[in-house]
Amino acid sequence: MKSKPKFAVLGAGHGGRAIAAYLAAIGHDVTLFNRTPENIQTIKQTGGIFLTFTADLEEHLFPTDMEVHKLGRRHEHLLFPETEKIVEEDLRYIFGKIKTISSDIEKVLKDRDIIMVAVPARGHRYMAEKCAPYLKDGQLVLLNPGRCFGALEFCEIVNDYYEGKKKPDVTIAEAQTLIYACRRTKPRNVRIFAVKNSVGLAAIPSKNASHAMGLLKDVYPQFTPKDSVLETSLGNLGGIFHVPTTILNATRIDMRHNFRYYAEGITKHAASIIEDVDKERMAIARAMDVEAISARRWLHQTYDSEGADLYEAIRNTYAYRKIESPKTINHRYIWEDVPTGLVPLSSLGKQLDVSTPMIDSFIHLATSAFKKDFNIDFFKIGRTMEKLGLAGMNIDEIKKFVKTGNRN
Amino acid sequence: MKSKPKFAVLGAGHGGRAIAAYLAAIGHDVTLFNRTPENIQTIKQTGGIFLTFTADLEEHLFPTDMEVHKLGRRHEHLLFPETEKIVEEDLRYIFGKIKTISSDIEKVLKDRDIIMVAVPARGHRYMAEKCAPYLKDGQLVLLNPGRCFGALEFCEIVNDYYEGKKKPDVTIAEAQTLIYACRRTKPRNVRIFAVKNSVGLAAIPSKNASHAMGLLKDVYPQFTPKDSVLETSLGNLGGIFHVPTTILNATRIDMRHNFRYYAEGITKHAASIIEDVDKERMAIARAMDVEAISARRWLHQTYDSEGADLYEAIRNTYAYRKIESPKTINHRYIWEDVPTGLVPLSSLGKQLDVSTPMIDSFIHLATSAFKKDFNIDFFKIGRTMEKLGLAGMNIDEIKKFVKTGNRN
């Protein structure tokens, strides 16, 4: 493998755009896949993605000196062609030129060293099924992030595909969280609000985490190796933050009130509830003898936020200040975070005899809220121990399985 | 007993004021008790309570022809002395002169035929303990309303007090809901927004319901007899409406946004959740073989509201249109309705093997929200089967107990 790995980025949502634009902007060979062709049409016409950020982020974003453009009126037609929006004074941009932009997975995966899967976790199954036939020896697949047990689900699907055939020697890894706080802004743009200080990374098989780190160290020095995907999975906070915040603000969202999701949506009472949900996640980690830090400490580690309790820590998290409320609760904060965040925790808790009344409450509430429109049961469609192939295993058996990726 | 019964009203909040003012205004001898003397000082100085309502309610409120005053500028000093408020055009008022207004329970109960207990259900225990020594043969105690198992709790306290002594022959009864939708407005005023069409009433012992009906028929023809307090208790909807609505609007309430509690606080998703909570209440009633109607049908029966589902029925309930959101979640919608509404349902459900995940979810969320400020567990402080003396009883034993009020 050459010194500069070639990347495929799967998914052109918030995270996928940010990763693709960043990697391309710093000079990597990047291809971009999106399931729905319409969503990448403008990027395809432009030949890449504009990445915007405020000046203070420049140093965090780019490890080496790069020419970063100060956004001025003359560039507005590129960045904001659709609006008359007043551009913020300290906004900067950089352009990431993408080699191949396509909905043809074979084309996108051709000749790649690293496959960055940056889709809501509900899409991991789809991506695994799409990728499986084209995987090659030595490749790294990194889920950004895995939510709870994403890498395990991906692994199971690949194993199933190669059942009876020779499986390529692939490292499947997951990040504990997305490296950026970011939002797609315009059809060809993405904005990064914050870069996380430190993001856990674990691989299946476990020992390959160092291989993954070696490949990524130049582009993402923030990744830090973890013993196993149990640590990254049980350390994911998507379900912990998003589900309670969305449900406790469901009527405001339904009424189309605009509010800042974290800054105004998480009041003292809401933070108290989130802390109790988080305690159940930590109890499960403790039962598994897996290292896990509280949501409050996670904010400190990730964003340098200080706070005596979770409420204060959230209020002191700069990355959250500008993030707006969703326009509907029919949103990935429920669709992604209930089935791939809370349900696996609840299911694992049950298997370990760790009770999860708060987690279960939010699964029930989300199921009930979606009843009229979708009539689905999140407990059933979510990542349960059964679906992950972990049902009936004891702690040692689970640990051995995630370490090797093999049952025997 | 004379043809015109004498009333004591216990509690000078929304309901107590409305009941006392109405009964006094139609010519009854009424006394009024309130635990905190400061809260009745202005009423005491005035010698009674002003009751306001819109003209269209006149007919519903007063069974017989009465002189009702059209509120004009010249009366404003009596009704709204504290404000420059613009008086609604069609507002009417009537004045109820109260004989005794006191925090001395003995004085208030002296010579009374009917004791109307109109306090949040969390106060039933206190009122029972206060009243027990002064109860007399032939008296009727009516809880307005009993929430879940209020009459039973009252009965247990009275039984305990007279343990080993001769117990007076008292009928303890409960209403399924408060007869009015009403709010205290100014220090000496109360406003009635709606009068319910029909309100279930049941007594302990059960057979005394007809005695109670006889005493009340001239003043409250809306009361309809029910077989037992199981029907009124399992038919109470306070916990079903108030707890989900308050929790699902907790952040709006915390942020001090003013909104109409039912009209803007119950969106389609919230109504879907409330319907699922309500289904668990009905499943418990079915398991007990007790008649219970859905919240949607209850709105129809009570307020003539039409609607294909609960959401529509709530939107079509005129009584709810003007009701404002509370200013804090530290409110009786949680303090009353969780421990005396949801907890007894959860506890009875457990005893009957009827699962109540939605009800339990809201008990957990309320407990968690109040953790930092109060550190109480609603499951523990609520009306459990243990506290009601029903633990370990089967359905037949419970039915016999509520019928007779005696264990043997």
Side-chain angles (χ1 to χ4, degrees), chain A residues 82-93:
Chain A
E82 292 78 17
T83 68
E84 293 286 316
K85 194 169 167 161
I86 292 161
V87 173
E88 291 164 58
E89 264 309 303
D90 62 343
L91 208 65
R92 302 284 181 278
Y93 82 91

Side-chain angles (χ1 to χ4, degrees), chain A residues 104-254:
Chain A
D104 178 339
I105 195 79
E106 191 178 357
K107 261 171 78 178
V108 171
L109 291 188
K110 192 173 181 303
D111 198 24
R112 300 291 106 179
D113 303 307
I114 301 176
I115 302 168
M116 301 289 251
V117 181
V119 292
R122 283 256 290 166
H124 288 163
R125 174 169 293 277
Y126 170 86
M127 288 299 179
E129 286 165 356
K130 282 292 245 188
C131 291
Y134 307 106
L135 295 177
K136 280 173 199 147
D137 284 345
Q139 265 179 338
L140 166 66
V141 174
L142 177 62
L143 309 189
N144 291 282
R147 283 286 183 252
C148 290
F149 303 115
L152 205 58
E153 186 179 85
F154 204 105
C155 208
E156 279 289 276
I157 291 159
V158 172
N159 286 346
D160 282 356
Y161 181 83
Y162 288 99
E163 177 113 46
K165 289 176 274 185
K166 197 196 163 294
K167 195 176 82 175
D169 181 22
V170 174
T171 297
I172 295 169
E174 66 182 25
Q176 179 259 318
T177 182
L178 185 62
I179 191 99
Y180 307 118
C182 56
R183 286 290 180 275
R184 178 174 49 200
T185 46
K186 299 286 149 205
R188 74 201 81 198
N189 297 1
V190 67
R191 173 153 177 190
I192 291 179
F193 293 99
V195 186
K196 289 164 191 170
N197 292 333
S198 154
V199 173
L201 181 151
I204 301 176
S206 282
K207 63 177 170 52
N208 285 13
S210 60
H211 166 65
M213 295 291 299
L215 288 173
L216 292 165
K217 70 177 193 309
D218 290 335
V219 295
Y220 286 122
Q222 296 92 343
F223 282 126
T224 55
K226 297 286 172 189
D227 277 352
S228 83
V229 294
L230 288 174
E231 254 182 81
T232 42
S233 284
L234 295 175
N236 188 275
L237 288 161
I240 310 298
F241 280 131
H242 295 156
V243 183
T245 306
T246 305
I247 294 291
L248 294 172
N249 287 288
T251 67
R252 290 166 88 177
I253 296 168
D254 283 341

Side-chain angles (χ1 to χ4, degrees), chain A residues 247 329-330 334-335 363-378 380, chain B residues 268-280 309 357-358:
Chain A
I247 294 291
I329 71 162
N330 181 10
I334 301 293
W335 279 117
I363 304 171
H364 283 300
L365 262 60
T367 295
S368 180
F370 277 25
K371 197 166 198 169
K372 294 240 162 176
D373 294 336
F374 305 103
N375 200 27
I376 50 90
D377 181 345
F378 281 114
K380 287 196 182 129
Chain B
K268 279 188 187 179
H269 290 116
S272 176
I273 288 172
I274 294 171
E275 273 189 309
D276 278 353
V277 176
D278 195 47
K279 276 179 189 158
E280 295 178 357
D309 58 13
M358 294 297 295

Side-chain angles (χ1 to χ4, degrees), chain A residues 249 251 254 267 272 276 368, chain B residues 249 251-252 254 267 272 276 368:
Chain A
N249 287 288
T251 67
D254 283 341
T267 60
S272 177
D276 278 353
S368 180
Chain B
N249 288 286
T251 65
R252 290 166 89 176
D254 283 341
T267 59
S272 176
D276 278 353
S368 180

